[in-house]
Amino acid sequence: MEFSRVVMLLKKPTKDQIIALSGVFQACQLVETLAKTGSIPTDRFQVCIESLFQQNPDSTEQVFGSVENLQLGMETLQELLTLQTTAKQSDTLRYAVGVIHLSRKLLNNKTMISMIGERLEQADRQATHFSSVSHTNVIANLAQIYQDSISTFRYRIQVNGYAGYLQQDSIAQRIRCLLFAGIRAAILWHQLGGKRYHLIFSRKQLLAQLHTLRT
């Protein structure tokens, strides 16, 4: 193993990394819930949508508004790290793995990142016009951005759920938006130095940081 990688493994995860990673798991948990029940809390959905418009935040926390807005994501992450996930949550973990994989592919495609940035600026102006980031037209626009960019990668995330819900355009659009938000959070996690093997080798440190954030 390269020395630089050994050093990275020995580095303790930071508070900012945990915040970003919680954003990933919150979005993925909401995807699973929406696909299987047809509904999710409006406030949690809005946190994910608003994060897409935070392209130049002053802090990691600002991307999600506050740490308190990520309680679901932190709970889900803690359950994963303590191996308390149930069969019902297996899809959330699979979505998170897929989201992290796609975020890496997106980071390597500067042209696509630029296109997404430009279209998010347009969507931001649209949200201002409607005075809501979760307006139906804004959600449809964000879902289309996802389809025109990330959905063109060969790797696709297959969402499991009740067909009656998944076939509804409004739910399908919200699922795409949530996956989009998960990828945005995963990119932030990578930019902050997060690595997939941290989830395996740094569980105790991750849990310690989670405990600090939740107290």
Side-chain angles (χ1 to χ4, degrees), residues 104-115 152-153:
R104 290 298 304 173
K105 293 184 72 67
L106 182 56
L107 278 170
N108 292 326
N109 192 326
K110 304 305 180 186
T111 300
M112 186 176 289
I113 287 178
S114 179
M115 180 272 283
T152 64
F153 287 132

Side-chain angles (χ1 to χ4, degrees), residues 3-197:
F3 178 73
S4 59
R5 189 174 179 185
V6 172
V7 172
M8 182 62 74
L9 284 171
L10 294 175
K11 280 188 175 180
K12 292 183 179 181
T14 66
K15 169 188 173 183
D16 285 339
Q17 287 175 11
I18 293 296
I19 292 174
L21 196 57
S22 295
V24 172
F25 279 88
Q26 178 150 308
C28 291
Q29 179 67 69
L30 290 173
V31 168
E32 177 166 4
T33 302
L34 182 57
K36 293 179 178 178
T37 69
S39 65
I40 50 175
T42 301
D43 56 343
R44 286 176 171 171
F45 177 68
Q46 189 152 324
V47 167
C48 292
I49 299 306
E50 288 177 345
S51 73
L52 288 169
F53 297 113
Q54 297 293 329
Q55 297 196 56
N56 296 293
D58 294 326
S59 67
T60 305
E61 188 172 341
Q62 184 182 344
V63 174
F64 308 100
S66 69
V67 172
E68 287 70 27
N69 288 337
L70 291 172
Q71 289 302 312
L72 175 64
M74 288 190 286
E75 289 170 7
T76 304
L77 179 57
Q78 181 170 313
E79 289 171 357
L80 167 69
L81 294 172
T82 55
L83 304 178
Q84 293 180 355
T85 52
T86 65
K88 292 181 179 179
Q89 295 171 308
S90 60
D91 283 331
T92 295
L93 177 57
R94 182 170 59 82
Y95 300 151
V97 171
V99 157
I100 289 172
H101 174 71
L102 286 172
S103 69
R104 290 298 304 173
K105 293 184 72 67
L106 182 56
L107 278 170
N108 292 326
N109 192 326
K110 304 305 180 186
T111 300
M112 186 176 289
I113 287 178
S114 179
M115 180 272 283
I116 289 175
E118 291 175 1
R119 290 186 62 178
L120 282 175
E121 288 179 0
Q122 295 171 4
D124 194 11
R125 290 193 291 271
Q126 182 185 34
T128 300
H129 172 75
F130 287 111
S131 301
S132 173
V133 297
S134 55
H135 187 277
T136 303
N137 290 10
V138 177
I139 296 305
N141 190 1
L142 292 173
Q144 191 62 52
I145 296 173
Y146 180 88
Q147 281 190 291
D148 294 342
S149 56
I150 297 163
S151 286
T152 64
F153 287 132
R154 181 174 299 178
Y155 178 85
R156 301 264 188 106
I157 296 175
Q158 298 297 321
V159 176
N160 291 332
Y162 177 58
Y165 297 137
L166 296 176
Q167 291 169 0
Q168 295 180 33
D169 287 341
S170 61
I171 289 180
Q173 288 171 352
R174 282 187 285 165
I175 286 174
R176 293 188 187 102
C177 289
L178 287 169
L179 291 174
F180 201 176
I183 290 169
R184 189 267 181 272
I187 286 176
L188 181 60
W189 179 62
H190 286 303
Q191 291 172 333
L192 291 166
K195 302 293 182 181
R196 283 179 292 184
Y197 47 78

